[in-house]
Amino acid sequence: MNRPLAILDSTLREGEQFIGAFFSFEQRLTIARLLDSIGVEFIEVPSPIASPETRNTVRVLCNLDLRAHIVAHVRCVEADVQAALDTPVFGLNLFYGTSAQLRTFSHGRRIDQMIKDAIPLIQLIRAAGRYVRFSAEDAFRSDLLDLLTVFDAVVEAGVQRIGLPDTVGIATPRQVEHLVRLCTERYPQVGIEFHGHNDTGCAIANTIAAFEAGADCLDVTALGIGERNGIASLSGLVAQLYIHYPELLAAYDLTQLASLDHFVASCLNLPIPFNAPI
């Protein structure tokens, strides 16, 4: 495959949603440096509005002079967006729950209200000269018409990438392939990102299926840590790509993978699984 691929590592955001997970300030800096030495394109961090500590960590990470782009995971709320724009982050990863379940039990917004919320924020981010992605949280339980209605609007508003997260880990590789290919063909002018949870053990398989269907940005964490069963692991993704698409890994320093996994495992007092791909 001669098309570009970006890896987004979310160890410092999604990873800290793993039960009992917490990294110290110095550990976060070390993890970021290890990720950068491997060569990941994006490092995702929590919304700077979360706390003064988070805001300070984000600022320091942005000033480490890393090659990786620091992007903040931010709700479609003006205060959250402005707090992120007040830091030197490369860009913002906006998200909004589009499934009936999240619209009913999480934020209580209709599709038209969600679009009304998102469009001015996307325009604000673009006007500030920052990168912006819009992710439809719980995409694989979302009604297809609702999903495409939202994506049509945010793409027209100027997002550079749309996200398809399998938020509760229920998708199969064939479902992922179908939806990613549909979006790739419908929105050729923007990138496609996939974020796959591992609740049913399909995170890595689904992530590879997304890539083969056209996704150009894949989300991972070290050791696959994350909320509940976690998401696709960086080492697991690399193992698949190394066998099937080695040319895509030419720019990465794979010798640093074991160091990252061992460091994160030691931070969290976790054993590296005996069946880890690397």
Side-chain angles (χ1 to χ4, degrees):
M1 294 201 179
N2 55 5
R3 57 184 174 83
L5 169 66
I7 294 177
L8 179 146
D9 187 279
S10 190
T11 302
L12 299 180
R13 199 279 301 172
E14 174 74 51
E16 286 210 73
Q17 293 181 260
F18 184 67
I19 186 168
F22 176 79
F23 300 115
S24 70
F25 174 74
E26 289 300 332
Q27 287 171 340
R28 292 182 184 123
L29 300 190
T30 299
I31 290 169
R33 290 189 178 104
L34 284 168
L35 289 168
D36 194 56
S37 71
I38 292 169
V40 302
E41 286 77 8
F42 294 99
I43 296 174
E44 188 175 61
V45 296
S47 176
I49 206 170
S51 69
E53 178 193 17
T54 299
R55 186 161 52 250
N56 178 62
T57 300
V58 170
R59 288 185 180 278
V60 173
L61 287 171
C62 290
N63 290 325
L64 288 181
D65 196 28
L66 304 177
R67 293 172 300 164
H69 296 308
I70 306 296
V71 290
H73 189 71
V74 176
R75 296 178 302 175
C76 277
V77 177
E78 185 175 2
D80 294 44
V81 169
Q82 192 58 57
L85 291 176
D86 289 341
T87 71
V89 292
F90 172 79
L92 283 69
N93 285 347
L94 296 178
F95 68 96
Y96 222 144
T98 52
S99 69
Q101 291 90 336
L102 290 185
R103 292 193 348 252
T104 301
F105 300 108
S106 177
H107 54 74
R109 307 287 278 173
R110 301 190 309 269
I111 292 296
D112 62 315
Q113 293 173 318
M114 293 167 56
I115 292 172
K116 187 177 180 181
D117 290 342
I119 287 177
L121 297 178
I122 292 166
Q123 294 170 339
L124 175 64
I125 297 166
R126 290 304 304 271
R130 311 290 182 96
Y131 161 88
V132 59
R133 176 218 73 190
F134 179 92
S135 186
E137 190 180 12
D138 207 12
F140 288 85
R141 291 195 299 174
S142 297
D143 176 82
L144 183 58
L145 180 59
D146 289 342
L147 191 66
L148 297 181
T149 298
V150 172
F151 281 158
D152 284 353
V154 299
V155 168
E156 184 177 357
V159 297
Q160 288 139 294
R161 186 172 271 125
I162 56 175
L164 289 165
D166 182 19
T167 304
V168 294
I170 47 83
T172 67
R174 286 179 179 171
Q175 289 173 321
V176 171
E177 179 183 15
H178 173 74
L179 185 54
V180 171
R181 180 164 288 122
L182 187 157
C183 290
T184 301
E185 294 172 353
R186 188 178 180 90
Y187 309 109
Q189 68 273 45
V190 301
I192 306 291
E193 182 173 336
F194 179 77
H195 180 103
H197 278 260
N198 201 41
D199 298 73
T200 56
C202 287
I204 292 174
N206 284 344
T207 301
I208 291 295
F211 168 68
E212 292 180 337
D216 67 338
C217 185
L218 306 175
D219 291 9
V220 296
T221 60
L223 299 178
I225 60 173
E227 188 176 14
R228 303 182 316 277
N229 294 44
I231 67 171
S233 70
L234 175 57
S235 292
L237 175 65
V238 165
Q240 272 286 324
L241 294 176
Y242 186 79
I243 297 298
H244 299 289
Y245 308 104
E247 67 280 3
L248 294 176
L249 298 174
Y252 295 87
D253 184 357
L254 305 185
T255 66
Q256 299 300 314
L257 280 171
S259 298
L260 173 68
D261 283 353
H262 282 288
F263 182 74
V264 171
S266 67
C267 290
L268 303 181
N269 195 28
L270 287 174
I272 294 179
F274 77 92
N275 59 348
I278 295 177

